[in-house]
Amino acid sequence: MSSTGVHTSSASILTDFKEITKVRLAVSVVFSSVAGYFLGADSIDFVTVFLLAIGGYFMVGASNAYNQIIERDLDALMDRTKNRPIPDGRMSVSTAFLIASIFTIAGLIVLYIINPKTAMFGAISIFLYVSVYTPLKTKTPLSVFVGAIPGAIPFMLGWVAATGDFSIEPGTLFMIQFFWQFPHFWAIGWWLFDDYKKGGFFMLPTGKRDKGTAIQVILYTVWTILVSLIPVFGVTGKLFLSPVAGGLILLLGLGMLYYALKLYKEKTAQAAKKLMFASVSYITLLQIVYVFDKFIREWI
């Protein structure tokens, strides 16, 4: 084989590996976990941060690989997923299962090195995502509720990694990301409704792109904003948010709410796509504001 052929083959293998583990999604999850760690840590241990990032990537990568194994026949029916490694025939099920298994074991070991509770929550996350959420996606819209549980664990997982404890602080971080999941995934479900329909997935609460779904998107967006502001009132233990930071969070939330209201008004896939991007911006910027607010208050 020529050197060009070897290079092309290596690049293709790397691309398939990134797709089966959904690297971009994994990076966003790791970002949430590290943000939670910074919020919970009295002092930063960069070895723990490294282990949390690696362990978190392993667990997310494993979940995604198992998911693509289970949904391989359905993925072949949808435009956005038909070119994934397994349905496209570029990766065998056995290879994907080997990757998922190695990642699961390695992830649990790495997280256990941090502390047992971190590993426990990592195990709960992968179990719920693979064994409960994935099969329910073709059965009931309540799958989004189940999926919101493992989806909300990363933010709080960082705090547990920093403290070895689960209490009101990581519980609050969990609630923020839990309620955020609903408008986020309903926006995706609305935007990709026709493609999801080909695979038989039920993502919207009413099963339709209608007024009822849009109203629920608005309600859960409002609830997400309210939960995000709870730390301002000093009732969440060591997790506290200054009034200035709370004002920034409120502005970010109103921005997301604006797009939720636009979805209600327009009821189009394009409006849903804009809401999806707005929701990603909201949760990312929220985590940045929370972390910066903590360190600024410590330095003043």
Side-chain angles (χ1 to χ4, degrees), residues 75-268:
D75 281 348
L77 302 175
M78 297 183 290
D79 293 334
R80 72 181 187 90
T81 56
K82 65 185 179 183
N83 292 319
R84 284 177 174 174
I86 299 177
D88 195 46
R90 303 192 310 275
M91 181 181 291
S92 67
V93 170
S94 58
T95 298
F97 184 78
L98 180 63
I99 292 171
S101 300
I102 291 173
F103 269 41
T104 301
I105 295 169
L108 288 174
I109 290 173
V110 171
L111 294 181
Y112 189 86
I113 291 172
I114 297 173
N115 61 59
K117 285 185 180 177
T118 303
M120 179 190 73
F121 282 116
I124 290 172
S125 177
I126 196 170
F127 172 78
L128 288 176
Y129 187 88
V130 175
S131 301
V132 185
Y133 166 66
T134 296
L136 283 179
K137 286 166 67 178
T138 57
K139 307 296 183 184
T140 173
L142 288 174
S143 62
V144 175
F145 172 84
V146 176
I149 299 173
I153 285 177
F155 200 15
M156 56 147 272
L157 190 71
W159 187 289
V160 175
T163 65
D165 184 43
F166 180 84
S167 53
I168 191 169
E169 297 93 345
T172 302
L173 298 180
F174 175 88
M175 280 203 306
I176 293 169
Q177 201 150 1
F178 176 80
F179 287 107
W180 169 84
Q181 303 274 327
F182 293 91
H184 174 69
F185 279 104
W186 287 337
I188 295 174
W190 190 306
W191 172 34
L192 301 173
F193 183 83
D194 292 330
D195 212 24
Y196 275 130
K197 191 174 181 181
K198 294 176 185 176
F201 292 116
F202 300 94
M203 303 299 289
L204 300 181
T206 67
K208 302 174 183 178
R209 292 184 287 190
D210 60 7
K211 181 179 178 180
T213 289
I215 289 174
Q216 292 198 53
V217 168
I218 292 170
L219 291 175
Y220 275 87
T221 299
V222 170
W223 186 241
T224 299
I225 297 168
L226 294 176
V227 172
S228 301
L229 293 172
I230 290 176
V232 175
F233 301 99
V235 295
T236 52
K238 295 198 297 184
L239 178 65
F240 178 74
L241 202 62
S242 71
V244 173
L248 291 174
I249 296 298
L250 179 59
L251 288 175
L252 292 172
L254 292 175
M256 182 175 165
L257 181 60
Y258 168 78
Y259 286 101
L261 292 169
K262 282 198 71 174
L263 177 63
Y264 175 81
K265 180 181 178 181
E266 298 176 8
K267 298 180 181 66
T268 64

